[in-house]
Amino acid sequence: MSKPVCLVIGAGAGIGGNVAKRFASAGFHACLARRTDSQGLDRLVREVTDAGGSASGFMLNAVEEHSIETLVENIEKDVGPIEVAVYNLGAQIGDRALADTPLKTFEMGWRMATFGLFRLASCLLPCMVQRGHGSLLVTSATAAMRGNSGQHSHASAMGARRMLCQTLNAEFAAKGIHVAHIVVDGAVDAPDTLGKMLGPQRFQALRERKGLEKDGLLVPAAIAETYYHLANQHRSAWTFELDLRAHTDLAWWNHAGL
Amino acid sequence: MSKPVCLVIGAGAGIGGNVAKRFASAGFHACLARRTDSQGLDRLVREVTDAGGSASGFMLNAVEEHSIETLVENIEKDVGPIEVAVYNLGAQIGDRALADTPLKTFEMGWRMATFGLFRLASCLLPCMVQRGHGSLLVTSATAAMRGNSGQHSHASAMGARRMLCQTLNAEFAAKGIHVAHIVVDGAVDAPDTLGKMLGPQRFQALRERKGLEKDGLLVPAAIAETYYHLANQHRSAWTFELDLRAHTDLAWWNHAGL
Amino acid sequence: MSKPVCLVIGAGAGIGGNVAKRFASAGFHACLARRTDSQGLDRLVREVTDAGGSASGFMLNAVEEHSIETLVENIEKDVGPIEVAVYNLGAQIGDRALADTPLKTFEMGWRMATFGLFRLASCLLPCMVQRGHGSLLVTSATAAMRGNSGQHSHASAMGARRMLCQTLNAEFAAKGIHVAHIVVDGAVDAPDTLGKMLGPQRFQALRERKGLEKDGLLVPAAIAETYYHLANQHRSAWTFELDLRAHTDLAWWNHAGL
Amino acid sequence: MSKPVCLVIGAGAGIGGNVAKRFASAGFHACLARRTDSQGLDRLVREVTDAGGSASGFMLNAVEEHSIETLVENIEKDVGPIEVAVYNLGAQIGDRALADTPLKTFEMGWRMATFGLFRLASCLLPCMVQRGHGSLLVTSATAAMRGNSGQHSHASAMGARRMLCQTLNAEFAAKGIHVAHIVVDGAVDAPDTLGKMLGPQRFQALRERKGLEKDGLLVPAAIAETYYHLANQHRSAWTFELDLRAHTDLAWWNHAGL
């Protein structure tokens, strides 16, 4: 297969799915990976192909041993060289006091947000280095630079993720690999993630209050444009970190500490 | 005139000129303003028009009282509404010990890097607010977040500029105005600025050592792509701050403190 | 005079006066400088001497040309070598929209918060370098690292101040001079500054709501303990930046972006 | 036992041991915990008691399940309420390329630097909240805010630690618990840690080149003074984060990104 491959780990109906579609529309073969809802995954793949693009779907339990490693190996062998990888997994669990954050929850947050990225980098970046180019785009959050109330698990895992992106920059940028840390700061108009966390009624109310006409929720397709721009930057002028925020939602910005 | 206007303050042969060309190639009328070398300015304008674009040149001493204010007023009246403004002035003077940094130098650094931006914002943002949209793209430097040795004037002025961008975000984002703080971290392949600071021989040596094939100097045309992307982001997903760095030049990144 | 000298610029009844008292109680001769209210200044000096300490008062308009320079020269000549200098001036003016922030106000904010510190460093640090030791303790604010709404003048001036402290660190730490940037984050229980900004009634209401028993306003004498600790740190383990916050007042911390 | 207790987890001959001695000299009973070298531990305890202080030693494998939890429970029951806890464990392993950082190493770095602190906070802070006061002092590193080359494990674990300290601040400060994140930036004159990492000859050479007369290595007893100051700050003016650096060692500061 001659198309460059864009692998999206964490491909739901929000950021991940839209990033996959954006790259597919530009001639990439999109590999969409997610843990649950294989029908939803099929639907996303079909949306890409219906629009004239090319895509495959993969079920993936990212915290399982060897899962990410095997997926990368298979795609590199069967589909083609991964030119762009998007790591879009996290484990935001809503606000929890310390007493309501069991050790297992805290550890799982790190396994999804940090360790999975480390495993992806460990198996994928050597392939990219051999080819002399490649991009790893990492969805992150305000919690990576400011630990606010109730986010013991989320903030700690995201802070770890941010520092990991920087140590990857320090080792791999000069080898042609572009790792970018993308601070998505605010509520995303994503039924799969925010919608599930809030429940359908609160999510719809939020959409009506902030989103839609007022553009106060981050629109995933708009986010995807910046992911695509990052993967296309000339290597003399790469962005290693940026924020994405809705214009109306300054409360988020004030808490961000970027 | 029906084209949207892009005003570039500090339009030389580096970042400023290339940003002007990028917007002109996308259908903007580019207004290029600079302090010295009217022949160089004419040449830039001609390059834009030769490429099928539309541009005008303006001589501007930005630290002079009323200078920026008058320019903005005249362009808004005679050329058209300014949709995008680029503030690309600074006063980097090379490394200087405190004893070699006179009060006048320190004050001039602030007048160019900070006060000029404040004056531009004060006269331009009210017009943009009336229209409900507009972008102000601010070239900045690593010195805005890390005060390294010998940069008393430069770092202090850039730190002031960064905080000003953030207070502008806080007041104007929700009114539809996108102010972006762009941390250009490293040597730019720009004969007008870096070339003049280093002298032609040292500049050429640097180009041969880092730039050209190795892309170790930031290429202004590559920088301009990201400026253009910023001005086109959907208001639900704006970037307020990002860095731009050459992939080979990790020493800069390590000093950046972003 | 054989006592070491501690010069406090901006010595009112809040941080400045209490820092002066703290150093005086430890055997320093305190030089208190302020712009207005010579009776208040006399009262502060008398409080120091009544407690068995040693102090002098100086009226100082810090934005006036040569004012700081002359004061430093006179103290070094007539009182003794300045071992510790405290720069405690700012120009917080409450929240103001851009349209309500005249050019003069913005410039004055920089003259007080940034340029005055640069002038103090320029005339004092060479004396300290000759002696091989000395401390410059700089009161700062959250606004130095986060530009919140309505603080165009304050945040920009404080951001400039912070970067200046860092360039001073870079040049002078190895020469034995300890410059520390102290981020006072929150309302200080200071009638001279916060009291005047809010008016007596709102200030008293704030004290009753947050301060007193609940310690929700920063107590100046408590702040002074940390200033004193900083000046006494061993040069192998200096602090260049720290924050000071009231334990109950997490809203401030969330906005701080430190 | 009527003395307040200071528990130090990671009590070797460097920061940990010196902090324990500092608190013991001020009337605390010091509980010293470490994983290896029970003779060294006995020696430290004896040094405290010989100096007129009071101390006990505990062997602790902090990554073992229930180990920290049991230690805290036993001390609270048998020795007395823990007024101050110091978390001084990390897993800096020297610079390693990604290919030389196995999954197990990366996970172990997180277990020591991050998860151990989370477990300590989870079992200790509820006790402190009941008493309405207490301090948790956390030794950290530059790697917590800047991911430099070769520090994939260390930087990621420390970044996680820093965000965790902030979420603890957000939940526990108003309840009277002071959590402080202490960025020790540079080489510490500590034979147990740096000495073992470098080997005796390189360590001695470093001491002669930078330390001793020039105070270019951080002296653990000097560091301990600041830990003691933090535990004594008035709750109206707490420091949540500070750096500690040697005055001569600006290269470290330039890399720090604080």
Side-chain angles (χ1 to χ4, degrees), chain C residues 107-252:
Chain C
E107 179 164 346
M108 187 54 70
W110 174 80
R111 289 206 176 279
M112 289 191 65
T114 315
F115 197 50
L117 175 61
F118 178 75
R119 289 165 52 212
L120 175 62
S122 294
C123 65
L124 176 58
L125 296 199
C127 306
M128 288 183 169
V129 167
Q130 282 204 313
R131 299 189 282 262
H133 50 86
S135 299
L136 173 53
L137 309 178
V138 181
T139 306
S140 188
T142 303
M145 50 252 295
R146 158 64 57 218
N148 283 318
S149 179
Q151 307 199 325
H152 303 294
S153 165
H154 180 52
S156 169
M158 285 299 181
R161 176 183 279 194
R162 184 182 183 220
M163 287 302 107
L164 176 57
C165 286
Q166 293 188 1
T167 57
L168 294 174
N169 294 149
E171 181 171 341
F172 291 99
K175 296 176 178 170
I177 314 306
H178 185 187
V179 180
H181 180 253
I182 303 162
V183 180
V184 178
D185 179 43
V188 177
D189 192 0
D192 270 18
T193 48
L194 186 63
K196 276 179 188 157
M197 194 155 68
L198 296 180
Q201 268 157 344
R202 284 177 59 206
F203 179 60
Q204 191 52 32
L206 184 69
R207 293 193 76 197
E208 277 161 24
R209 185 160 50 82
K210 289 194 181 191
L212 305 173
E213 282 166 49
K214 281 185 288 184
D215 296 327
L217 297 182
L218 288 103
V219 174
I223 294 173
E225 288 299 324
T226 292
Y227 279 65
Y228 185 70
H229 175 71
L230 287 169
N232 282 282
Q233 285 181 315
H234 186 254
R235 65 181 185 163
S236 83
W238 277 349
T239 295
F240 291 103
E241 184 166 274
L242 57 71
D243 57 332
L244 290 172
R245 306 170 200 270
H247 74 127
T248 55
D249 220 6
L250 273 291
W252 295 90

Side-chain angles (χ1 to χ4, degrees), chain D residues 40-56:
Chain D
L41 178 59
D42 291 344
R43 203 161 47 239
L44 271 175
V45 169
R46 213 160 42 238
E47 285 172 22
V48 171
T49 50
D50 285 356
S54 154
S56 343

Side-chain angles (χ1 to χ4, degrees), chain D residues 113-134:
Chain D
T114 314
F115 196 50
L117 175 62
F118 178 75
R119 289 165 50 213
L120 175 62
S122 293
C123 66
L124 177 58
L125 296 198
C127 305
M128 289 182 169
V129 167
Q130 282 203 313
R131 299 190 281 264
H133 50 85

Side-chain angles (χ1 to χ4, degrees), chain A residues 146-148 253-258, chain C residues 146-148 253-258:
Chain A
R146 157 63 57 219
N148 283 317
W253 158 262
N254 282 329
H255 284 70
L258 185 58
Chain C
R146 158 64 57 218
N148 283 318
W253 158 263
N254 280 330
H255 284 70
L258 184 60

Side-chain angles (χ1 to χ4, degrees), chain B residues 69-153:
Chain B
E69 293 81 352
T70 304
L71 177 69
V72 166
E73 196 185 327
N74 289 345
I75 292 175
E76 287 268 331
K77 186 157 50 80
D78 302 335
V79 187
I82 298 168
E83 181 60 29
V84 177
V86 177
Y87 195 79
N88 190 45
L89 286 184
Q92 192 163 11
I93 50 170
D95 285 359
R96 301 269 186 102
L98 187 66
D100 300 326
T101 312
L103 300 191
K104 278 289 166 216
T105 301
F106 189 83
E107 179 165 345
M108 187 55 69
W110 174 81
R111 289 206 175 279
M112 288 190 66
T114 315
F115 197 50
L117 175 62
F118 179 74
R119 288 164 51 213
L120 175 62
S122 293
C123 65
L124 177 59
L125 296 199
C127 305
M128 289 182 169
V129 167
Q130 282 203 315
R131 300 189 281 264
H133 51 84
S135 299
L136 174 53
L137 308 178
V138 181
T139 305
S140 188
T142 304
M145 51 252 297
R146 157 65 54 218
N148 283 316
S149 180
Q151 307 200 326
H152 303 293
S153 164

Side-chain angles (χ1 to χ4, degrees), chain D residues 92-97 100-101 148-152 154 197:
Chain D
Q92 191 163 11
I93 51 170
D95 286 359
R96 301 269 185 102
D100 301 326
T101 312
N148 283 317
S149 180
Q151 308 199 327
H152 303 294
H154 180 54
M197 194 155 69

